[in-house]
Amino acid sequence: MRTRADLLGWVGLAGRLYLGFVFLAAGLAKLPEPAMTEQAVRGYQLLPWQLAPAYAIAMPIAEIVLGALLILGLFTRTAAVATALGLCSFIVGITSAWARGLNIDCGCFGGGGASADPTYFADTLRDLGWLAIAVYLILVRRTKLALDDLLFRRGAPAADDYSDSSKKTELGSST
């Protein structure tokens, strides 16, 4: 590892791949069973009853798209923001069900509905960990092996890629 930026980029790659595969797996698990996903959505008792079928179809598709974008490193920050917002909504849903004494399975990877032994605390901690990864991806400047770098490459290297101040001055005067 040459620099701090390299290290951050490799950590970002690991986070991107991990979170991307989690979201891809969650979406793929729910996609073939929209009725089960709808049952899980209704179990939270947060959305109007009529919205549950549409949400049960849209959510797995969104998870698959976001997972693929993260894995590919394409529109990484945008995908990370959308993933973070989704995770916030999942955390709110889980903690709301927990606070109201509902006994449901989260339905995060398919299934869902009534559960005699819900795992709210573990699910919330897991989602908070994934949210931390998404926030990292929002904040980190670049990740390694991302399509973003190939497709949206800047003409000149960034100022923080230079180590001495004379080169920074040259970069500043040429733009």
Side-chain angles (χ1 to χ4, degrees), residues 18-103:
Y18 175 69
L19 197 56
F21 280 112
V22 164
F23 265 66
L24 187 64
L28 289 173
K30 287 184 264 218
L31 193 62
E33 298 288 339
M36 290 295 293
T37 304
E38 182 180 335
Q39 178 182 339
V41 170
R42 286 191 170 140
Y44 283 94
Q45 302 173 13
L46 291 172
L47 291 177
W49 197 259
Q50 300 84 353
L51 289 181
Y55 189 81
I57 292 169
M59 182 178 41
I61 292 169
E63 289 173 334
I64 291 167
V65 169
L66 291 173
L69 289 173
L70 289 171
I71 291 166
L72 295 171
L74 186 59
F75 306 113
T76 303
R77 279 191 174 158
T78 303
V81 167
T83 301
L85 292 172
L87 286 164
C88 286
S89 73
F90 299 156
I91 292 165
V92 166
I94 291 168
T95 56
S96 170
W98 189 6
R100 291 179 289 142
L102 301 177
N103 289 324

Coordinates of all heavy atoms in Angstrom, one line a residue, residues 18-103:
Y18 N -18.9 -6.3 -0.2 CA -19.6 -7.0 0.8 C -21.1 -6.5 0.8 O -22.0 -7.3 0.8 CB -19.0 -6.7 2.2 CG -19.7 -7.2 3.4 CD1 -19.9 -8.6 3.6 CD2 -20.4 -6.4 4.3 CE1 -20.6 -9.1 4.7 CE2 -21.1 -6.8 5.3 CZ -21.2 -8.2 5.5 OH -21.9 -8.7 6.6
L19 N -21.3 -5.2 0.9 CA -22.6 -4.6 0.9 C -23.4 -4.9 -0.4 O -24.6 -5.2 -0.3 CB -22.5 -3.1 1.2 CG -23.8 -2.4 1.6 CD1 -24.3 -3.0 2.9 CD2 -23.5 -0.9 1.9
G20 N -22.7 -4.8 -1.5 CA -23.3 -5.2 -2.8 C -23.8 -6.6 -2.8 O -25.0 -6.8 -3.2
F21 N -23.0 -7.5 -2.3 CA -23.5 -8.9 -2.4 C -24.6 -9.2 -1.3 O -25.5 -10.0 -1.6 CB -22.3 -9.9 -2.1 CG -21.5 -10.1 -3.4 CD1 -20.2 -9.7 -3.5 CD2 -22.1 -10.8 -4.5 CE1 -19.5 -9.9 -4.7 CE2 -21.4 -11.0 -5.7 CZ -20.1 -10.5 -5.8
V22 N -24.6 -8.5 -0.2 CA -25.7 -8.6 0.8 C -27.0 -8.1 0.1 O -28.0 -8.8 0.2 CB -25.3 -7.7 2.0 CG1 -26.6 -7.5 2.9 CG2 -24.3 -8.4 2.9
F23 N -26.9 -6.9 -0.5 CA -28.2 -6.4 -1.1 C -28.6 -7.3 -2.3 O -29.8 -7.5 -2.5 CB -28.0 -4.9 -1.5 CG -28.5 -4.0 -0.4 CD1 -27.9 -3.9 0.8 CD2 -29.6 -3.2 -0.7 CE1 -28.3 -3.1 1.8 CE2 -30.1 -2.4 0.3 CZ -29.5 -2.3 1.6
L24 N -27.7 -7.7 -3.1 CA -28.0 -8.6 -4.2 C -28.7 -9.9 -3.7 O -29.7 -10.3 -4.2 CB -26.7 -8.9 -5.0 CG -26.9 -9.7 -6.3 CD1 -27.7 -8.9 -7.3 CD2 -25.6 -10.0 -6.9
A25 N -28.1 -10.5 -2.7 CA -28.6 -11.7 -2.1 C -30.0 -11.5 -1.5 O -30.9 -12.3 -1.7 CB -27.7 -12.3 -1.1
A26 N -30.2 -10.4 -0.8 CA -31.5 -10.1 -0.2 C -32.6 -9.9 -1.3 O -33.7 -10.4 -1.2 CB -31.4 -8.8 0.6
G27 N -32.2 -9.1 -2.4 CA -33.2 -8.9 -3.4 C -33.5 -10.2 -4.2 O -34.7 -10.5 -4.5
L28 N -32.5 -11.0 -4.5 CA -32.7 -12.3 -5.2 C -33.5 -13.2 -4.4 O -34.3 -14.0 -4.9 CB -31.4 -12.9 -5.6 CG -30.7 -12.1 -6.8 CD1 -29.3 -12.7 -7.0 CD2 -31.5 -12.1 -8.0
A29 N -33.4 -13.2 -3.1 CA -34.1 -14.1 -2.2 C -35.6 -13.7 -2.2 O -36.5 -14.6 -2.1 CB -33.6 -14.1 -0.8
K30 N -35.9 -12.4 -2.3 CA -37.3 -12.0 -2.2 C -38.0 -12.0 -3.5 O -39.2 -12.1 -3.6 CB -37.3 -10.6 -1.6 CG -37.0 -10.5 -0.1 CD -37.2 -9.1 0.4 CE -35.9 -8.5 0.4 NZ -35.4 -7.7 1.4
L31 N -37.3 -11.8 -4.6 CA -37.9 -11.6 -5.9 C -38.8 -12.7 -6.4 O -39.9 -12.4 -6.8 CB -36.8 -11.3 -7.0 CG -37.3 -10.8 -8.3 CD1 -37.9 -9.4 -8.2 CD2 -36.1 -10.7 -9.3
P32 N -38.5 -14.0 -6.2 CA -39.4 -15.0 -6.7 C -40.6 -15.3 -5.8 O -41.5 -15.9 -6.2 CB -38.5 -16.3 -6.7 CG -37.3 -16.0 -5.9 CD -37.2 -14.5 -5.8
E33 N -40.6 -14.7 -4.6 CA -41.8 -14.9 -3.7 C -42.4 -13.6 -3.3 O -42.4 -13.2 -2.1 CB -41.3 -15.6 -2.5 CG -40.7 -17.0 -2.7 CD -41.8 -18.0 -3.1 OE1 -43.0 -17.7 -2.7 OE2 -41.5 -19.0 -3.7
P34 N -43.0 -12.8 -4.3 CA -43.6 -11.5 -3.9 C -44.7 -11.6 -2.8 O -44.9 -10.7 -2.0 CB -44.1 -11.0 -5.2 CG -44.2 -12.1 -6.1 CD -43.2 -13.1 -5.7
A35 N -45.4 -12.8 -2.8 CA -46.5 -12.9 -1.8 C -45.9 -13.0 -0.4 O -46.4 -12.4 0.5 CB -47.3 -14.1 -2.1
M36 N -44.8 -13.7 -0.3 CA -44.1 -13.8 1.1 C -43.5 -12.4 1.5 O -43.6 -12.0 2.6 CB -43.0 -14.8 1.0 CG -43.5 -16.2 0.9 SD -44.4 -16.8 2.4 CE -43.1 -16.8 3.6
T37 N -43.0 -11.7 0.5 CA -42.4 -10.4 0.8 C -43.6 -9.4 1.2 O -43.4 -8.6 2.1 CB -41.7 -9.8 -0.4 OG1 -40.6 -10.8 -0.8 CG2 -41.0 -8.5 -0.2
E38 N -44.7 -9.5 0.5 CA -45.9 -8.7 0.8 C -46.3 -9.0 2.2 O -46.7 -8.1 3.0 CB -47.0 -9.0 -0.2 CG -48.2 -8.1 0.0 CD -49.3 -8.4 -1.0 OE1 -49.0 -8.9 -2.1 OE2 -50.5 -8.2 -0.7
Q39 N -46.4 -10.3 2.6 CA -46.8 -10.6 3.9 C -45.8 -10.0 5.0 O -46.2 -9.5 6.0 CB -46.8 -12.2 4.1 CG -47.1 -12.7 5.4 CD -47.0 -14.2 5.5 OE1 -47.1 -14.9 4.5 NE2 -46.9 -14.7 6.7
A40 N -44.5 -10.1 4.7 CA -43.5 -9.5 5.6 C -43.7 -8.0 5.7 O -43.7 -7.4 6.8 CB -42.1 -9.8 5.1
V41 N -44.0 -7.3 4.6 CA -44.2 -5.9 4.6 C -45.4 -5.5 5.4 O -45.4 -4.6 6.2 CB -44.3 -5.3 3.1 CG1 -44.8 -3.9 3.1 CG2 -43.0 -5.4 2.4
R42 N -46.5 -6.3 5.2 CA -47.7 -6.0 6.0 C -47.5 -6.3 7.5 O -48.1 -5.7 8.3 CB -48.8 -6.8 5.4 CG -49.3 -6.3 4.1 CD -50.6 -6.9 3.7 NE -51.2 -6.2 2.6 CZ -51.8 -6.8 1.5 NH1 -51.9 -8.1 1.5 NH2 -52.2 -6.0 0.5
G43 N -46.6 -7.2 7.8 CA -46.4 -7.6 9.2 C -45.8 -6.4 10.0 O -46.1 -6.3 11.2
Y44 N -45.1 -5.5 9.4 CA -44.6 -4.3 10.1 C -45.7 -3.3 10.4 O -45.5 -2.4 11.3 CB -43.5 -3.6 9.2 CG -42.2 -4.3 9.2 CD1 -41.9 -5.2 8.2 CD2 -41.3 -4.1 10.2 CE1 -40.7 -5.9 8.3 CE2 -40.1 -4.7 10.3 CZ -39.8 -5.6 9.3 OH -38.6 -6.3 9.3
Q45 N -46.8 -3.3 9.7 CA -48.0 -2.4 9.9 C -47.6 -1.0 9.9 O -48.0 -0.2 10.7 CB -48.6 -2.8 11.3 CG -49.1 -4.2 11.4 CD -49.6 -4.5 12.8 OE1 -49.8 -3.6 13.7 NE2 -49.7 -5.8 13.1
L46 N -46.7 -0.6 8.9 CA -46.3 0.7 8.7 C -46.8 1.4 7.4 O -47.1 2.6 7.4 CB -44.8 0.8 8.7 CG -44.1 0.5 10.0 CD1 -42.6 0.4 9.8 CD2 -44.4 1.6 11.0
L47 N -47.0 0.6 6.4 CA -47.5 1.1 5.1 C -49.0 0.9 5.0 O -49.5 -0.1 5.6 CB -46.8 0.4 4.0 CG -45.4 0.7 3.7 CD1 -44.8 -0.1 2.6 CD2 -45.1 2.2 3.5
P48 N -49.7 1.7 4.3 CA -51.1 1.4 4.0 C -51.2 0.0 3.3 O -50.3 -0.3 2.5 CB -51.5 2.5 3.0 CG -50.6 3.7 3.3 CD -49.3 3.0 3.7
W49 N -52.2 -0.7 3.6 CA -52.4 -2.1 3.2 C -52.3 -2.1 1.6 O -51.7 -3.1 1.1 CB -53.8 -2.5 3.6 CG -54.0 -4.0 3.6 CD1 -54.7 -4.7 2.6 CD2 -53.5 -5.0 4.5 NE1 -54.7 -6.0 2.9 CE2 -54.0 -6.2 4.0 CE3 -52.8 -4.9 5.7 CZ2 -53.7 -7.4 4.7 CZ3 -52.5 -6.1 6.3 CH2 -53.0 -7.3 5.9
Q50 N -52.8 -1.1 0.9 CA -52.8 -1.1 -0.5 C -51.4 -1.0 -1.2 O -51.2 -1.3 -2.3 CB -53.7 0.0 -1.1 CG -55.2 -0.1 -0.7 CD -55.4 0.5 0.7 OE1 -54.5 0.9 1.4 NE2 -56.7 0.5 1.1
L51 N -50.5 -0.4 -0.4 CA -49.1 -0.2 -0.9 C -48.2 -1.4 -0.8 O -47.2 -1.5 -1.5 CB -48.5 1.0 -0.2 CG -49.0 2.4 -0.6 CD1 -48.2 3.4 0.2 CD2 -49.0 2.7 -2.1
A52 N -48.6 -2.3 0.0 CA -47.7 -3.5 0.3 C -47.4 -4.3 -1.0 O -46.2 -4.7 -1.1 CB -48.4 -4.4 1.4
P53 N -48.4 -4.6 -1.9 CA -48.0 -5.4 -3.1 C -47.0 -4.6 -4.0 O -46.0 -5.3 -4.4 CB -49.3 -5.5 -3.8 CG -50.4 -5.3 -2.8 CD -49.8 -4.3 -1.8
A54 N -47.1 -3.4 -4.2 CA -46.2 -2.6 -5.0 C -44.8 -2.6 -4.3 O -43.8 -2.7 -5.0 CB -46.7 -1.2 -5.3
Y55 N -44.8 -2.3 -3.0 CA -43.5 -2.3 -2.3 C -42.8 -3.6 -2.3 O -41.6 -3.7 -2.4 CB -43.8 -1.8 -0.8 CG -42.6 -1.5 -0.1 CD1 -41.9 -0.3 -0.2 CD2 -42.0 -2.4 0.8 CE1 -40.8 0.0 0.5 CE2 -40.9 -2.1 1.5 CZ -40.3 -0.9 1.4 OH -39.1 -0.6 2.1
A56 N -43.6 -4.7 -2.2 CA -43.0 -6.0 -2.2 C -42.4 -6.4 -3.6 O -41.5 -7.2 -3.6 CB -44.1 -7.1 -1.9
I57 N -42.8 -5.7 -4.6 CA -42.2 -6.0 -5.9 C -41.0 -5.0 -6.1 O -40.0 -5.4 -6.6 CB -43.2 -5.8 -7.0 CG1 -44.2 -7.0 -7.0 CG2 -42.5 -5.8 -8.4 CD1 -45.4 -6.8 -7.9
A58 N -41.2 -3.7 -5.7 CA -40.2 -2.7 -6.0 C -39.0 -2.9 -5.1 O -37.8 -2.7 -5.5 CB -40.8 -1.3 -5.7
M59 N -39.1 -3.3 -3.8 CA -38.0 -3.4 -2.9 C -37.0 -4.4 -3.4 O -35.8 -4.1 -3.4 CB -38.5 -3.8 -1.5 CG -37.3 -3.9 -0.5 SD -37.8 -4.2 1.2 CE -39.0 -5.4 1.1
P60 N -37.3 -5.7 -3.8 CA -36.3 -6.6 -4.2 C -35.6 -6.1 -5.5 O -34.4 -6.3 -5.6 CB -37.0 -7.9 -4.5 CG -38.4 -7.7 -4.0 CD -38.6 -6.3 -3.7
I61 N -36.3 -5.5 -6.4 CA -35.7 -4.9 -7.6 C -34.7 -3.8 -7.3 O -33.6 -3.8 -7.8 CB -36.8 -4.4 -8.6 CG1 -37.6 -5.6 -9.1 CG2 -36.1 -3.7 -9.8 CD1 -38.8 -5.3 -9.9
A62 N -35.1 -3.0 -6.4 CA -34.2 -1.9 -5.9 C -32.9 -2.5 -5.3 O -31.8 -2.0 -5.5 CB -34.9 -0.9 -5.0
E63 N -33.1 -3.5 -4.4 CA -32.0 -4.1 -3.8 C -31.0 -4.8 -4.8 O -29.8 -4.7 -4.6 CB -32.5 -5.2 -2.7 CG -33.1 -4.6 -1.5 CD -33.7 -5.6 -0.6 OE1 -34.1 -6.7 -1.1 OE2 -33.9 -5.3 0.6
I64 N -31.6 -5.4 -5.8 CA -30.7 -6.1 -6.8 C -30.0 -5.0 -7.6 O -28.8 -5.1 -7.8 CB -31.6 -6.9 -7.8 CG1 -32.1 -8.1 -7.0 CG2 -30.8 -7.3 -9.0 CD1 -33.2 -8.9 -7.7
V65 N -30.6 -3.9 -8.0 CA -30.0 -2.9 -8.7 C -28.9 -2.2 -7.9 O -27.7 -2.0 -8.4 CB -31.0 -1.8 -9.2 CG1 -30.3 -0.6 -9.8 CG2 -31.9 -2.4 -10.3
L66 N -29.2 -1.9 -6.6 CA -28.2 -1.3 -5.8 C -27.0 -2.2 -5.5 O -25.9 -1.8 -5.5 CB -28.8 -0.8 -4.5 CG -29.8 0.4 -4.6 CD1 -30.5 0.6 -3.2 CD2 -29.1 1.6 -5.0
G67 N -27.3 -3.5 -5.3 CA -26.3 -4.4 -5.1 C -25.3 -4.5 -6.3 O -24.1 -4.5 -6.2
A68 N -25.9 -4.6 -7.5 CA -25.1 -4.7 -8.7 C -24.3 -3.4 -8.9 O -23.1 -3.5 -9.3 CB -26.0 -4.9 -9.9
L69 N -24.9 -2.2 -8.7 CA -24.1 -1.0 -8.8 C -22.9 -0.9 -7.8 O -21.8 -0.5 -8.2 CB -25.0 0.2 -8.6 CG -26.0 0.5 -9.7 CD1 -27.0 1.6 -9.3 CD2 -25.4 0.8 -11.0
L70 N -23.1 -1.4 -6.6 CA -22.1 -1.4 -5.6 C -21.0 -2.4 -6.0 O -19.8 -2.1 -5.9 CB -22.6 -1.7 -4.2 CG -23.4 -0.6 -3.6 CD1 -24.1 -1.1 -2.3 CD2 -22.6 0.6 -3.3
I71 N -21.4 -3.6 -6.4 CA -20.4 -4.6 -6.9 C -19.5 -4.1 -8.0 O -18.3 -4.2 -8.0 CB -21.1 -5.9 -7.2 CG1 -21.6 -6.5 -5.9 CG2 -20.1 -6.9 -7.9 CD1 -22.6 -7.7 -6.2
L72 N -20.2 -3.4 -9.0 CA -19.5 -2.9 -10.2 C -18.7 -1.6 -9.9 O -17.8 -1.3 -10.6 CB -20.5 -2.7 -11.3 CG -21.2 -3.9 -11.9 CD1 -22.3 -3.5 -12.8 CD2 -20.1 -4.8 -12.5
G73 N -19.1 -0.9 -8.8 CA -18.5 0.3 -8.5 C -19.0 1.4 -9.5 O -18.2 2.3 -9.9
L74 N -20.2 1.3 -9.9 CA -20.8 2.2 -10.8 C -21.8 3.1 -10.1 O -22.7 2.6 -9.4 CB -21.5 1.4 -11.9 CG -22.1 2.2 -13.1 CD1 -21.0 3.0 -13.8 CD2 -22.8 1.3 -14.1
F75 N -21.6 4.5 -10.2 CA -22.4 5.4 -9.5 C -22.4 5.1 -8.0 O -23.4 5.1 -7.3 CB -23.9 5.5 -10.0 CG -24.0 5.7 -11.5 CD1 -24.5 4.7 -12.3 CD2 -23.6 6.9 -12.0 CE1 -24.6 5.0 -13.7 CE2 -23.7 7.2 -13.4 CZ -24.2 6.2 -14.2
T76 N -21.2 4.8 -7.5 CA -21.0 4.3 -6.2 C -21.6 5.2 -5.1 O -22.3 4.7 -4.2 CB -19.5 4.1 -5.9 OG1 -19.0 3.2 -6.9 CG2 -19.2 3.4 -4.6
R77 N -21.3 6.4 -5.1 CA -21.8 7.3 -4.1 C -23.3 7.4 -4.1 O -24.0 7.3 -3.1 CB -21.2 8.7 -4.2 CG -19.9 8.8 -3.6 CD -19.5 10.3 -3.5 NE -18.2 10.4 -2.8 CZ -17.4 11.4 -2.9 NH1 -17.7 12.4 -3.6 NH2 -16.3 11.4 -2.2
T78 N -23.9 7.5 -5.3 CA -25.4 7.5 -5.4 C -26.0 6.2 -4.9 O -27.0 6.2 -4.1 CB -25.8 7.8 -6.9 OG1 -25.2 9.0 -7.3 CG2 -27.3 7.8 -7.0
A79 N -25.4 5.1 -5.3 CA -25.9 3.8 -4.8 C -25.7 3.7 -3.3 O -26.6 3.1 -2.6 CB -25.1 2.7 -5.5
A80 N -24.6 4.2 -2.8 CA -24.4 4.1 -1.3 C -25.4 5.0 -0.6 O -25.9 4.6 0.5 CB -22.9 4.5 -1.0
V81 N -25.7 6.2 -1.1 CA -26.7 7.0 -0.5 C -28.1 6.3 -0.5 O -28.8 6.3 0.6 CB -26.8 8.4 -1.2 CG1 -28.1 9.1 -0.8 CG2 -25.6 9.2 -0.9
A82 N -28.5 5.7 -1.6 CA -29.7 5.0 -1.7 C -29.7 3.8 -0.7 O -30.8 3.5 -0.1 CB -30.0 4.6 -3.1
T83 N -28.6 3.1 -0.7 CA -28.5 2.0 0.2 C -28.6 2.4 1.7 O -29.3 1.8 2.5 CB -27.2 1.3 0.0 OG1 -27.1 0.8 -1.4 CG2 -27.0 0.1 0.9
A84 N -28.0 3.5 2.0 CA -28.0 4.1 3.4 C -29.5 4.5 3.7 O -29.9 4.2 4.9 CB -27.1 5.3 3.6
L85 N -30.2 5.1 2.8 CA -31.6 5.5 3.1 C -32.4 4.2 3.3 O -33.3 4.2 4.2 CB -32.1 6.3 1.9 CG -31.5 7.7 1.8 CD1 -32.0 8.4 0.6 CD2 -31.8 8.6 3.1
G86 N -32.2 3.2 2.4 CA -32.9 2.0 2.6 C -32.7 1.3 3.9 O -33.6 0.9 4.6
L87 N -31.4 1.3 4.3 CA -31.0 0.7 5.6 C -31.7 1.5 6.8 O -32.1 0.9 7.8 CB -29.5 0.7 5.8 CG -28.9 -0.5 5.0 CD1 -27.4 -0.2 4.8 CD2 -29.2 -1.8 5.6
C88 N -31.7 2.8 6.7 CA -32.4 3.6 7.7 C -33.8 3.3 7.8 O -34.4 3.1 8.9 CB -32.2 5.1 7.4 SG -30.6 5.8 7.7
S89 N -34.5 3.1 6.7 CA -35.9 2.7 6.7 C -36.1 1.3 7.3 O -37.0 1.0 8.0 CB -36.5 2.8 5.3 OG -36.1 1.7 4.5
F90 N -35.1 0.4 7.0 CA -35.2 -1.0 7.6 C -35.0 -0.9 9.1 O -35.7 -1.6 9.9 CB -34.2 -1.9 7.0 CG -34.3 -2.1 5.5 CD1 -33.2 -2.5 4.8 CD2 -35.5 -1.9 4.9 CE1 -33.3 -2.7 3.4 CE2 -35.6 -2.1 3.5 CZ -34.5 -2.5 2.8
I91 N -34.1 -0.1 9.6 CA -33.8 0.1 11.0 C -35.0 0.7 11.7 O -35.4 0.2 12.8 CB -32.5 0.9 11.2 CG1 -31.3 0.2 10.8 CG2 -32.4 1.4 12.7 CD1 -30.0 1.0 10.7
V92 N -35.6 1.7 11.1 CA -36.9 2.3 11.6 C -38.0 1.2 11.7 O -38.7 1.1 12.7 CB -37.3 3.5 10.8 CG1 -38.7 3.9 11.2 CG2 -36.4 4.7 11.0
G93 N -38.1 0.4 10.7 CA -39.2 -0.6 10.6 C -38.9 -1.6 11.7 O -39.9 -2.0 12.4
I94 N -37.7 -2.1 11.8 CA -37.4 -3.1 12.8 C -37.6 -2.6 14.3 O -38.2 -3.3 15.1 CB -36.0 -3.7 12.6 CG1 -35.9 -4.5 11.3 CG2 -35.5 -4.5 13.8 CD1 -34.5 -4.8 10.9
T95 N -37.0 -1.4 14.5 CA -37.2 -0.9 15.9 C -38.6 -0.5 16.2 O -39.0 -0.6 17.4 CB -36.2 0.3 16.1 OG1 -36.5 1.3 15.1 CG2 -34.8 -0.1 16.1
S96 N -39.4 -0.1 15.2 CA -40.8 0.2 15.4 C -41.6 -1.1 15.8 O -42.4 -1.0 16.7 CB -41.4 0.9 14.1 OG -42.7 1.0 14.2
A97 N -41.3 -2.1 15.0 CA -42.0 -3.4 15.3 C -41.6 -3.9 16.7 O -42.5 -4.3 17.5 CB -41.6 -4.4 14.3
W98 N -40.4 -3.7 17.1 CA -39.8 -4.1 18.4 C -40.5 -3.3 19.5 O -41.0 -3.9 20.5 CB -38.3 -3.9 18.4 CG -37.6 -4.5 19.5 CD1 -38.0 -5.2 20.6 CD2 -36.2 -4.3 19.8 NE1 -37.0 -5.5 21.4 CE2 -35.8 -4.9 20.9 CE3 -35.2 -3.6 19.1 CZ2 -34.5 -4.9 21.4 CZ3 -33.9 -3.6 19.6 CH2 -33.6 -4.3 20.7
A99 N -40.6 -2.0 19.3 CA -41.2 -1.1 20.3 C -42.7 -1.4 20.5 O -43.2 -1.2 21.6 CB -40.9 0.3 19.9
R100 N -43.3 -1.8 19.4 CA -44.8 -2.0 19.5 C -45.1 -3.4 19.9 O -46.3 -3.8 20.0 CB -45.4 -1.7 18.1 CG -45.4 -0.2 17.8 CD -46.0 0.1 16.5 NE -45.2 -0.4 15.4 CZ -45.6 -0.9 14.3 NH1 -46.9 -1.1 14.0 NH2 -44.7 -1.3 13.4
G101 N -44.1 -4.2 20.2 CA -44.3 -5.6 20.7 C -44.8 -6.6 19.6 O -45.4 -7.6 19.9
L102 N -44.5 -6.3 18.3 CA -44.9 -7.2 17.3 C -43.9 -8.3 17.3 O -42.7 -8.2 17.5 CB -44.9 -6.5 15.9 CG -45.8 -5.3 15.8 CD1 -45.6 -4.6 14.4 CD2 -47.3 -5.7 16.0
N103 N -44.4 -9.5 17.0 CA -43.6 -10.7 16.9 C -43.5 -11.1 15.4 O -44.3 -12.0 15.0 CB -44.1 -11.8 17.8 CG -43.9 -11.6 19.2 OD1 -42.9 -11.0 19.6 ND2 -44.9 -12.0 20.0

